[in-house]
Amino acid sequence: MVKSISTPLRIATMVFVVFTAIFLLAPLVVVVGVSVSESQFIAFPPSGFSLRWYEEVLGSDAYVGAAWISLRVAILVTITATVVGGAAAIALHRRKLPFSSALATFFLSPLVLPTIIYAIGMLMLWSAIFGPVSIVTLWLSHTVVTIPYVVRTTLAVLSESNPFLEEAAQTMGASRLQRLWLVVVPQCRPGLIAGAFFAFNISFDEAVLALFLRKPGLTTLPVQIYGQLEFSPDPSVAAVSTIMIALTITLILVIDRMLGVQKFASA
Amino acid sequence: MNDRAENTLLVLPGLALLALAFFVPITQMLILSVSGDDGPTLAHFTRFLGDPYYLGVLWRTVRLSVLITLICAAIGFPLAYIMARVGPRLRLWLIVLVILPLMTSVVVRTFGWMVLLSRSGLIPDMLRDLGLVGRNFAIMQTETAIVIGMVQVLLPFMTLSILGIVTRIDPRLEEAARTMGCSFLQSLRTVVLPLAVPGIIAGSLLVFTLSASSFVTPNLLGGARIQVLAASIYRSVTQTLDWPFAAAQAVILFVGILLILVPYARLAGGRSNG
């Protein structure tokens, strides 16, 4: 295909790709640049080179505390969303339950509703029943918004799996639990892994639910950064942000190792 | 235990969680949006719809979301097409290019734009040096800043939506069109674009919804004076503590999104079927 394209058009395509790449990456590059600046003020290009802002971040209770909360929530969410969503996907795939397709829609519905609307509802309900929000509120609500991803990735993998393996295992005398654990779950593995990565990434980076469901002492990393940006941004914000970007890159590398980035992107 | 029992046990935790922690909260919000001091009331809705300030906020939200969606589609379609047609190595890099920003927190990306667009930032500086704008030129705290930031945030969603469809278009269709005398751009317009419509529509629905309901980027890049609906909801919840009014605004946001999306999806569905 590409061979038969005229030279000017090919140049135009290259220019377009380069500009789009700059546009997509510029904010990330700038953040990394600011984080190593010597100056007290946020400036890009940075003046000088120093790691003092990283030192500041690692010594700051606010940032380290927020990072710890984000990490705890993200790990809890990843586990629950993967287990609960994966189990549901296995049952949905069999299509033996009444209202199977309605159930599938039900499980994907949090994807359709804007998060801000759900966030208000959760805040209002929790305050009415339990009073102040807690880490449990954040855990539950992040699990709700990430379950659809696990269901979707697992269903996609199951739809391409061999349906007769389970029957074969049954014929050979495997019990229900053995069939589920030794045959079906391994078949789901790539879907479960992709879903788990989605869940971790969304929970760790998510700002909307975390902004609505916060209280003093319950601030996730994105909320801490948002607060700093609203009031007094200094290069330490850039240093935390750079750490988050580094985490994202690590995550992408791990995903590529385990699944391949292309497969993940099409999920 | 029979099959039915096993399957029920498998869906039950998720079903219970979504019912209690998703549908009940939304119901609670709907109830709150019509509750007043003495019994049910539509006062919160009439307050919003009768106030020119809030109608302005609503209009700005719709206007900016449409603009953001159009720009994302205009960049996303060629980008997705290029991704689908280049060699596997380059495709991998382009996918990383799209995924890396997508997986980075919106807060972090918006911070990057704050640095780039600020008064002494790289972009206004460059425009000044080129003599394109005056000395007092500023982008921060304008609608332009919101659009730039939001397009960068949402472009990956659009691109991946279109990519999913474009990769399934058989390249031989284009070759056939070329053999029959189409120029490259003609084959793009008459063959690829019509086949890519479902992807463009899915992407537009997603981008429009996300754009209309986001407040983090608009708040940070547009400032307090340029409010969008989601930012106004956030303010009602956290600053004025008027929760019923916040709930009513959320209902208006959702109904507004549905009013725009349902006809669009139907129109598009009709076209791609016919």
Side-chain angles (χ1 to χ4, degrees):
Chain A
M1 270 313 295
V2 184
K3 279 174 240 122
S4 49
I5 296 172
S6 63
T7 319
L9 207 56
R10 197 181 297 203
I11 293 172
T13 308
M14 262 156 64
V15 170
F16 171 79
V17 170
V18 169
F19 269 93
T20 313
I22 293 174
F23 174 69
L24 281 171
L25 295 180
L28 307 185
V29 173
V30 164
V31 165
V32 177
V34 172
S35 76
V36 294
S37 165
E38 242 168 6
S39 150
Q40 282 240 12
F41 306 101
I42 289 178
F44 188 88
S47 50
F49 179 89
S50 99
L51 294 176
R52 61 184 273 214
W53 299 110
Y54 287 90
E55 234 171 278
E56 187 141 319
V57 165
L58 295 175
S60 140
D61 287 341
Y63 280 130
V64 174
W68 184 227
I69 288 177
S70 284
L71 199 63
R72 267 195 300 176
V73 171
I75 290 173
L76 283 172
V77 167
T78 307
I79 296 169
T80 42
T82 310
V83 171
V84 173
I90 290 171
L92 290 173
H93 174 72
R94 290 174 177 160
R95 300 190 158 276
K96 294 235 177 75
L97 287 165
F99 311 112
S100 258
S101 60
L103 266 178
T105 313
F106 180 84
F107 270 95
L108 296 179
S109 57
L111 280 181
V112 186
L113 192 84
T115 314
I116 186 171
I117 296 178
Y118 172 50
I120 300 178
M122 195 66 179
L123 175 66
M124 289 166 179
L125 182 77
W126 196 274
S127 315
I129 300 179
F130 303 106
V133 295
S134 68
I135 201 164
V136 178
T137 332
L138 215 51
W139 173 27
L140 286 176
S141 54
H142 277 183
T143 306
V144 164
V145 295
T146 51
I147 279 179
Y149 290 90
V150 181
V151 170
R152 208 167 57 174
T153 54
T154 311
L155 278 177
V157 168
L158 279 173
S159 71
E160 284 168 14
S161 70
N162 183 349
F164 301 116
L165 274 184
E166 202 186 345
E167 260 176 57
Q170 186 172 11
T171 326
M172 316 275 260
S175 73
R176 241 167 230 291
L177 210 59
Q178 280 175 325
R179 259 147 44 207
L180 196 63
W181 189 245
L182 299 175
V183 179
V184 182
V185 171
Q187 280 185 315
C188 297
R189 225 180 80 110
L192 293 173
I193 293 173
F197 278 118
F198 271 115
F200 184 87
N201 183 245
I202 290 168
S203 171
F204 196 79
D205 283 351
E206 199 275 341
V208 176
L209 282 158
L211 272 167
F212 277 89
L213 304 171
R214 67 168 151 171
K215 64 170 184 192
L218 186 65
T219 338
T220 65
L221 211 45
V223 172
Q224 182 71 25
I225 295 174
Y226 180 84
Q228 290 281 315
L229 292 181
E230 257 194 329
F231 299 109
S232 54
D234 65 32
S236 70
V237 190
V240 198
S241 301
T242 306
I243 296 172
M244 290 187 74
I245 295 172
L247 188 74
T248 308
I249 294 175
T250 316
L251 213 59
I252 292 179
L253 289 174
V254 177
I255 290 169
D256 195 39
R257 259 284 156 80
M258 295 181 76
L259 298 168
V261 160
Q262 297 210 32
K263 219 170 187 172
F264 184 74
S266 59
Chain B
M1 191 158 81
N2 59 15
D3 281 352
R4 168 69 75 84
E6 181 185 336
N7 288 329
T8 310
L9 275 178
L10 285 171
V11 279
L12 211 56
L15 208 58
L17 182 68
L18 286 188
L20 293 175
F22 186 68
F23 282 90
V24 174
I26 290 164
T27 315
Q28 164 86 3
M29 187 211 68
L30 290 174
I31 293 171
L32 203 66
S33 73
V34 291
S35 61
D37 291 333
D38 22 58
T41 169
L42 286 175
H44 312 299
F45 290 93
T46 49
R47 177 179 157 202
F48 185 95
L49 297 170
D51 188 334
Y53 172 77
Y54 287 113
L55 289 178
V57 168
L58 183 64
W59 170 233
R60 175 181 298 124
T61 308
V62 173
R63 197 160 36 90
L64 291 183
S65 303
V66 169
L67 188 61
I68 290 160
T69 310
L70 287 176
I71 298 176
C72 280
I75 307 176
F77 171 68
L79 184 61
Y81 177 74
I82 293 167
M83 284 166 86
R85 290 291 179 261
V86 292
R89 252 189 103 76
L90 189 54
R91 183 182 311 137
L92 188 67
W93 280 108
L94 289 176
I95 286 178
V96 171
L97 173 77
V98 172
I99 298 253
L100 176 60
L102 180 66
M103 290 179 63
T104 306
S105 183
V106 170
V107 186
V108 171
R109 283 188 276 166
T110 307
F111 173 45
W113 286 114
M114 287 171 77
V115 178
L116 276 169
L117 300 177
S118 70
R119 188 166 276 276
S120 54
L122 205 59
I123 290 174
D125 250 8
M126 247 161 48
L127 293 175
R128 262 180 237 127
D129 287 348
L130 290 171
L132 292 173
V133 294
R135 188 172 287 277
N136 289 321
F137 175 76
I139 307 183
M140 270 300 273
Q141 320 267 328
T142 65
E143 290 185 358
T144 314
I146 299 180
V147 172
I148 293 174
M150 289 299 296
V151 168
Q152 197 263 352
V153 168
L154 298 177
L155 181 58
F157 290 102
M158 179 70 87
T159 310
L160 292 179
S161 296
I162 301 177
L163 181 64
I165 300 289
V166 172
T167 40
R168 274 185 269 150
I169 299 176
D170 192 336
R172 282 175 300 183
L173 284 175
E174 287 162 73
E175 276 164 37
R178 298 295 298 278
T179 322
M180 317 269 246
C182 268
S183 73
F184 170 70
L185 287 177
Q186 274 175 328
S187 75
L188 204 58
R189 196 171 56 83
T190 54
V191 177
V192 183
L193 192 59
L195 289 172
V197 163
I200 297 174
I201 287 175
S204 305
L205 297 178
L206 186 61
V207 168
F208 184 85
T209 308
L210 290 172
S211 168
S213 60
S214 63
F215 67 94
V216 169
T217 306
N219 258 3
L220 292 174
L221 296 178
R225 277 188 310 120
I226 305 178
Q227 289 246 316
V228 291
L229 186 50
S232 167
I233 295 174
Y234 181 61
R235 202 178 51 164
S236 296
V237 169
T238 55
Q239 283 168 32
T240 55
L241 301 177
D242 191 346
W243 287 11
F245 187 50
Q249 290 179 84
V251 173
I252 290 168
L253 173 67
F254 194 51
V255 172
I257 289 176
L258 287 181
L259 279 180
I260 292 184
L261 293 193
V262 170
Y264 185 65
R266 186 158 300 165
L267 192 81
R271 191 157 34 137
S272 59
N273 289 338

